Amino acid sequence: MRLNGEISIANVDDDDDGDGERKENELGLIRSPTPTAPPTRLVVGYALTSKKRQSFLQPKLLALARSKGILFIAVDVKQPLSDQGPFDVVLHKLAGKEWSQMIEDYGQKNPNVTVLDPPDAIEHVNNRQSMLEDVADLNLPDYYGNSVIGFWAVKLLIGRVTVPRQLVFTTDPSSIPHEVTKEGLKLPLVAKPLVVDGSAKSHELFLAYDKVSLAKLEPPLVLQEFVNHGGVLFKVYIIGEFIKVVRRFSLPDVCKRELSKIAGVFPFPRVSCASASADGADLDPKVAELPPSPLLEMLARELRLRLLFNIDIIREYGTRDLYYIIDINYFPGYGKMPDYEHIFTEFLLSLEQSKYEKVLVA
């Protein structure tokens, strides 16, 4: 149990006199003292789906966390949060208004507890309309880097970030072809479910090659202009201040000739998953080149309303500096990210350090 703000999980051997020295037993063999677990520095309450628990709370993460004094405790979602803990951090990924209200009330009543992440921040990411509208509203500036040409120091454009043009439809699929024509969206179009709720259906994607077939789609949905990007996207994982980029195979480019010969709406498999890794593949260097780090750092700062998320970014094929954000995911599959257990434990400890520094300043 937790006493005076600390949980002791030390395991002390009955024969250990506490002096830390090795001792001989009756047989004259050298016996090392039983190792003592470090005192708990951070208690993390978690409320996750069974799928997320299995993928995220892997034994390696839990063991490393324990060695650093971090304890993960399951939250009983049927009981008030105020009757549990106390927690330093609450980590959650559950759907439903009742849970969202519970965690929001808990965060307001316990301002010293870090909630990862606040429900209002998650809500924007779980809706593909508000998700990219938030990015567009940031009015991200072009990013310039310094370079030296001859004797002159000059600024060179190294990145522009925007979002694809999109339309949202909540009812009446028969109106989709007319609205697409009216708004001037260019084919092909990517169709995505409007709400991201963690279900397999919310990740079902379709590619539409002609306007007439758009009426076959089932709202609510988002239609995004497809941007040729060399068949590779960049998945940018963000955990607090940490940024990790991996390459994933994506949809192949669509040429005008292909577009003129194909009609219909076609489902395509979920792209950007770990099994579609393009790291180490023999790629065109112009396609494989990662987005510049300063550009990604700027994006992370601008989107820092959330602490646990990733961004799917593509670079328009034939350009070096034009990037599109096509999706944002809250609390993604970090378990598939290399070395995630070290990164996440360091992130949790940084939260503790940040609180400590605020107390000192106060």
Side-chain angles (χ1 to χ4, degrees):
M1 68 175 63
R2 189 171 190 182
L3 301 174
N4 298 324
E6 181 174 332
I7 296 179
S8 177
I9 53 176
N11 182 13
V12 182
D13 192 280
D14 291 339
D15 294 328
D16 190 355
D17 63 3
D19 61 6
E21 296 180 359
R22 296 194 303 175
K23 304 174 70 175
E24 293 187 11
N25 62 14
E26 295 177 357
L27 298 178
L29 299 176
I30 300 297
R31 176 181 57 79
S32 296
T34 302
T36 302
T40 298
R41 299 168 58 184
L42 207 66
V43 179
V44 181
Y46 65 87
L48 307 171
T49 63
S50 57
K51 182 180 178 181
K52 179 59 72 173
R53 285 199 304 271
Q54 185 176 6
S55 66
F56 180 72
L57 294 175
Q58 297 179 20
K60 194 173 181 180
L61 169 65
L62 297 178
L64 179 63
R66 281 196 299 270
S67 73
K68 293 180 177 291
I70 301 171
L71 187 64
F72 284 89
I73 297 178
V75 169
D76 185 347
V77 296
K78 297 180 180 179
Q79 301 296 327
L81 272 171
S82 56
D83 294 343
Q84 303 177 61
F87 303 118
D88 300 296
V89 177
V90 175
L91 180 67
H92 70 106
K93 191 173 185 180
L94 294 177
K97 293 182 179 180
E98 186 176 347
W99 169 255
S100 294
Q101 188 61 52
M102 182 189 297
I103 194 69
E104 185 174 354
D105 292 344
Y106 180 78
Q108 291 175 351
K109 294 176 182 177
N110 298 272
N112 291 328
V113 177
T114 301
V115 176
L116 298 174
D117 274 321
D120 56 342
I122 299 171
E123 184 179 356
H124 280 268
V125 177
N126 285 343
N127 182 297
R128 285 192 166 102
Q129 179 179 12
S130 56
M131 173 199 301
L132 294 191
E133 283 180 349
D134 284 353
V135 177
D137 290 344
L138 289 174
N139 195 23
L140 295 169
D142 293 345
Y143 193 88
Y144 290 85
N146 295 320
S147 183
V148 176
I149 301 177
F151 296 100
W152 303 96
V154 297
K155 284 190 174 183
L156 298 177
L157 178 66
I158 62 173
R160 293 175 289 165
V161 180
T162 184
V163 297
R165 295 181 63 201
Q166 67 177 29
L167 283 177
V168 175
F169 296 90
T170 56
T171 58
D172 189 15
S174 64
S175 68
I176 297 178
H178 172 72
E179 291 298 321
V180 167
T181 301
K182 177 182 174 183
E183 296 298 325
L185 262 64
K186 297 179 181 178
L187 295 168
L189 296 171
V190 179
K192 305 179 180 181
L194 178 61
V195 177
V196 183
D197 58 11
S199 67
K201 188 173 179 62
S202 69
H203 292 287
E204 289 180 350
L205 307 179
F206 297 84
L207 194 61
Y209 285 86
D210 71 287
K211 294 178 182 178
V212 174
S213 299
L214 292 172
K216 300 177 182 178
L217 296 170
E218 297 180 13
L221 58 84
V222 174
L223 287 179
Q224 273 182 8
E225 286 188 335
F226 179 77
V227 177
N228 283 337
H229 52 285
V232 172
L233 66 76
F234 305 103
K235 188 169 283 290
V236 183
Y237 290 95
I238 298 174
I239 304 177
E241 300 290 329
F242 176 83
I243 301 173
K244 171 71 175 180
V245 189
V246 296
R247 302 177 186 86
R248 295 282 189 262
F249 284 115
S250 180
L251 295 180
D253 293 344
V254 178
C255 65
K256 292 182 179 180
R257 182 179 179 184
E258 180 183 356
L259 189 59
S260 66
K261 291 185 176 182
I262 301 177
V265 176
F266 300 93
F268 55 85
R270 185 174 178 181
V271 297
S272 81
C273 58
S275 60
S277 175
D279 286 324
D282 185 16
L283 300 171
D284 180 342
K286 295 179 181 178
V287 172
E289 182 182 4
L290 295 175
S293 295
L295 183 71
L296 298 179
E297 291 166 2
M298 177 193 71
L299 276 178
R301 285 195 304 270
E302 295 293 342
L303 296 171
R304 195 47 57 76
L305 292 174
R306 307 158 195 90
L307 292 173
L308 303 177
F309 63 104
N310 74 9
I311 310 170
D312 288 349
I313 298 180
I314 58 175
R315 177 172 50 232
E316 184 170 357
Y317 186 72
T319 75
R320 290 197 61 185
D321 54 29
L322 181 54
Y323 296 89
Y324 290 84
I325 295 177
I326 58 173
D327 226 351
I328 301 176
N329 305 287
Y330 167 67
F331 201 163
Y334 288 122
K336 303 169 187 175
M337 185 179 75
D339 206 32
Y340 90 100
E341 56 276 346
H342 289 88
I343 296 165
F344 203 84
T345 51
E346 290 304 316
F347 163 64
L348 291 174
L349 293 175
S350 74
L351 296 178
E352 179 200 33
Q353 181 64 26
S354 177
K355 291 180 183 179
Y356 177 72
E357 290 173 353
K358 287 181 180 179
V359 171
L360 290 180
V361 171

